[in-house]
Every structure is written in C-alpha cells, then in structure tokens.
Amino acid sequence: LPDMRSLFPLILLASLAAGKHHGHDAEDKLLSVQVVIRHADRAATQGWATDKSERILFRGNGELTDLLVPLLTCNDGWDDVVKMHNLSTSENAKDAALIKMLRTQWDAPECSKVPPALVDAIIAELSQKEVKMPDHYKACAKGHAKKFMFSYIELLAGAGDHFNPLRIKRVAGMLTNELIGKMQKAAACPPPCNTQPKFRVYYTHDVTVLAVAHIFKALHHYEGVTPAFSSAIVFETRMNATGPYVKVFLKNGHKADFLDTGMCYDNCSLADVDNV
C-alpha cells in the first residue's frame, strides 16, 4: 500500500510555496495548513470489468484497492430525490435513485455497449494498470461514465445540482465546523503560538470532498469529475496587516497540481469564511 505519510511533505511544501507566491507584503504569515483528502480508492460495490479483475482486486467488491462514503442511511432529507426520480419511498433512496438514473441517463454513444451495471466497476478499475479493459469500456469510463458518477456523488453529498441542506450537513457539517474552528484558534493564538498544531490532515471520501468543495464555493473546479484518490482541498490560515484571512487550494487526483481556487484571492477575511 502506498504510504500516505509521504504525501504530507509534498502538500506542505506546495502550500508554503503557494503562500509565498501569493503573499501581499513582507508581514504576510502562514499560521496553519489544513488538508481534506480523499485517502482511499476502492473496488466497485458490485460487478467486475474483466474476468481478471476479481483476482487483481483480491479484497473483493467494495473493499480498498492497492491505490489506496459517509453512511447515508437516514430516511429523511431525501424528499428532493424521491420527487425527482418518482420513488415510492425515501427508504434506500440512494440505491433506488441510482437504478432510476441508470435507466434514464445511460444513453451516451461511447457507453452504448457497456452494461449500465458496470459503471462503478469500469471507473474504479480504470486506474489499475493490471486490468486490461476493452477499449470501449475505457472510452466510456473516461467520458460519460465519469460525468454520470459525478452527478450521483453530488446527489449523495447534497451538493451542486442536487443541493440539499440536510444531506450536506450530515456529510460535511461537523468537518466544516472543525475546519473553521481550527482556523479561528490559529488566528487567535499569540506568536510564537506553540500550543496549536500547524498542520492537520482529515482523511475522507469522495462524497465528503465534494460536499466540502461545495460549501467553500470550489465545486466547479472539479469540472464534473468525481474526486479521485488523493484529491485534496488545502486551507491556509494566514495573517497580514489587515488581519487573518484564508486561502483555498485544490487538486483532483494524485497526478494533478494544486490550483488556487480564487475563492479568497483578495484576502478573504476569516470572518467572511466563517459565514460560508
């Protein structure tokens, strides 16, 4: 398994370099860095893309892969999904909605020869070099299937086009409060501030990452592609002459570079962030 600790120095160095580049004056100081990261990749919950997939992903369906969802079992908070997909009940709404979506939204040309039931499998196995999927499976996984799954993950998160305040609160409410609370403590800690950790990492899943991105107005940076393994949102708490402010950086996947979301390019004050 890849050692996630090896990512820490890279994330911290990237954040420090970005902070130096964006600092507005010599008094600009980095107080803390918090990282929300998708820490694990898993096999599809059911089905395999090839006859060799089960041997390569030997832990089984739904289990972690060697690339290293929040529970959404409450029946309330799904009224919008029940209405949109004409479901008879909110019980198991997330599964019933997926079935309805597969019946009505699986009509892209590149996916015409791919069984809808394999959508999760072909996406999950696309990054596995040992799995030799047919070319039309790969084309579907890189195109329509990714857009389809992004929409479904948005639905689970209560984010984006499927915004639902109750679902998004369940998925990322506690984490958001934690992030903002640590920002406030870092800003209030008098220098040299030896009582507050300078670097924190929160291990999460794709649904949580999308929910946090929505809350901090950065969802559009994913460009309709579900957060891949090691996708991360980095929050810098900084201080300059005008007071504490926050900068937000984001990357999607372990090969991507961090980008400035621009959310707080003009010194977004901590007070403004607190009101998200």
Side-chain angles (χ1 to χ4, degrees):
L1 291 175
D3 189 349
M4 290 300 298
R5 291 172 298 180
S6 65
L7 293 175
F8 298 169
L10 296 177
I11 293 172
L12 186 56
L13 286 172
S15 185
L16 289 170
K20 181 178 179 181
H21 175 72
H22 290 287
H24 290 273
D25 54 57
E27 297 301 318
D28 193 291
K29 296 180 180 179
L30 178 64
L31 304 180
S32 72
V33 176
Q34 297 185 87
V35 181
V36 177
I37 188 169
R38 181 183 173 184
H39 75 289
D41 193 68
R42 63 165 180 79
T45 54
Q46 61 180 357
W48 301 107
T50 73
D51 57 358
K52 296 181 180 179
S53 299
E54 188 172 6
R55 176 180 58 80
I56 295 169
L57 303 172
F58 57 89
R59 294 186 183 90
N61 284 124
E63 300 299 328
L64 297 184
T65 72
D66 283 347
L67 280 179
L68 250 75
V69 190
L71 293 176
L72 294 168
T73 55
C74 298
N75 290 332
D76 58 332
W78 294 91
D79 292 346
D80 57 322
V81 176
V82 170
K83 182 178 180 180
M84 178 185 300
H85 296 287
N86 194 27
L87 305 179
S88 59
T89 175
S90 60
E91 188 173 353
N92 297 322
K94 65 184 183 69
D95 298 325
L98 177 59
I99 293 173
K100 282 292 186 77
M101 290 171 68
L102 286 170
R103 290 175 179 172
T104 59
Q105 301 176 27
W106 195 250
D107 54 358
E110 68 266 31
C111 296
S112 60
K113 296 182 179 179
V114 179
L118 291 183
V119 57
D120 197 14
I122 62 174
I123 294 174
E125 297 177 30
L126 182 63
S127 58
Q128 300 289 333
K129 295 181 179 180
E130 294 85 356
V131 176
K132 308 299 182 184
M133 290 194 295
D135 288 342
H136 63 286
Y137 276 28
K138 293 180 182 178
C140 178
K142 292 177 181 178
H144 180 68
K146 279 199 171 184
K147 295 177 181 178
F148 177 91
M149 285 306 296
F150 182 85
S151 178
Y152 181 60
I153 297 299
E154 273 191 328
L155 182 148
L156 296 181
D161 293 338
H162 298 280
F163 176 70
N164 180 289
L166 183 54
R167 284 206 305 281
I168 202 169
K169 182 177 181 180
R170 285 183 177 142
V171 172
M174 291 181 64
L175 176 55
T176 300
N177 288 336
E178 173 82 4
L179 290 166
I180 293 176
K182 298 307 181 186
M183 293 174 192
Q184 293 170 334
K185 286 187 176 182
C189 186
C193 189
N194 297 320
T195 60
Q196 291 293 319
K198 299 293 191 292
F199 184 61
R200 290 182 172 88
V201 179
Y202 303 89
Y203 295 107
T204 63
H205 299 274
D206 48 6
V207 177
T208 311
V209 171
L210 273 194
V212 171
H214 176 104
I215 290 169
F216 288 94
K217 303 177 178 64
L219 184 62
H220 62 284
H221 288 290
Y222 282 100
E223 299 180 336
V225 178
T226 302
F229 160 66
S230 90
S231 293
I233 306 174
V234 177
F235 299 89
E236 289 186 350
T237 305
R238 307 187 66 88
M239 179 76 75
N240 65 12
T242 63
Y245 69 99
V246 178
K247 294 197 68 70
V248 184
F249 301 88
L250 176 149
K251 75 181 185 76
N252 190 357
H254 65 287
K255 294 182 180 180
D257 294 325
F258 280 97
L259 61 88
D260 186 343
T261 66
M263 172 189 166
C264 301
Y265 195 79
D266 295 321
N267 282 5
C268 187
S269 69
L270 180 55
D272 289 337
V273 174
D274 191 26
N275 291 326
V276 296

